[in-house]
Amino acid sequence: AEVPLDSDCKMLSEAEDLLKTWTIYMQRDEFHRALQKATALHGLLPDAVDFKVLVAKTLVYIKPTKAVTELSQLFHKIGDDNEKRTELILLQAKAHFFNNATQEAIQILTDGLNAAPGQESPHLATLQRQILQFEADKQEANALFQAGKSHAAYDKYTRLLGATVLRHNKA
């Protein structure tokens, strides 16, 4: 049976409102509210990969372990869409990073960069450099602390936390 046009218009309007609200909540770092909107969008069209990506994108910030699982499942559903694959790689690396699994994040980005020679994504390369720099700075801060230079270590850790929050908010 075919769905009446009125129903399609209403669902499209509802999806548009949910997406706008999701975007606002993400910009405000209100991730739990954003997750509610992304889940509602996914409920409207359960087979729509883009809405599943919105759910995973939100989970990266509040439940990174669950986001990794969701993203792994999405890789099988996107086919040969390189743009979508790049987005999923970025999200998966961020989820690992926010889950304090820096080495895994670096490996995912390295694998992503090596997967398509000549078609490298500048986003993957930039995030990889940021995470590598973060890891190097963290090691430097740890060395300062172990050397008894607690004030210098504190300053370095404070800058690292600020960098993490900035990257977190820009996503």
Side-chain angles (χ1 to χ4, degrees), residues 77-144:
K77 297 182 181 196
I78 60 167
D80 294 333
D81 186 339
N82 285 331
E83 188 176 321
K84 188 67 67 187
R85 182 168 301 285
T86 298
E87 181 181 12
L88 295 181
I89 290 169
L90 284 166
L91 290 170
Q92 195 172 40
K94 285 182 181 184
H96 280 291
F97 180 73
F98 293 139
N99 205 30
N100 296 317
T102 307
Q103 293 306 316
E104 288 88 344
I106 292 168
Q107 189 61 52
I108 287 166
L109 292 167
T110 301
D111 292 347
L113 288 167
N114 293 334
Q119 300 177 13
E120 293 85 4
S121 163
H123 300 296
L124 293 180
T126 298
L127 187 59
Q128 183 185 41
R129 279 192 305 277
Q130 289 174 336
I131 290 175
L132 285 168
Q133 184 61 53
F134 179 89
E135 185 64 20
D137 290 346
K138 184 175 83 172
Q139 296 301 325
E140 183 183 339
N142 290 343
L144 287 167

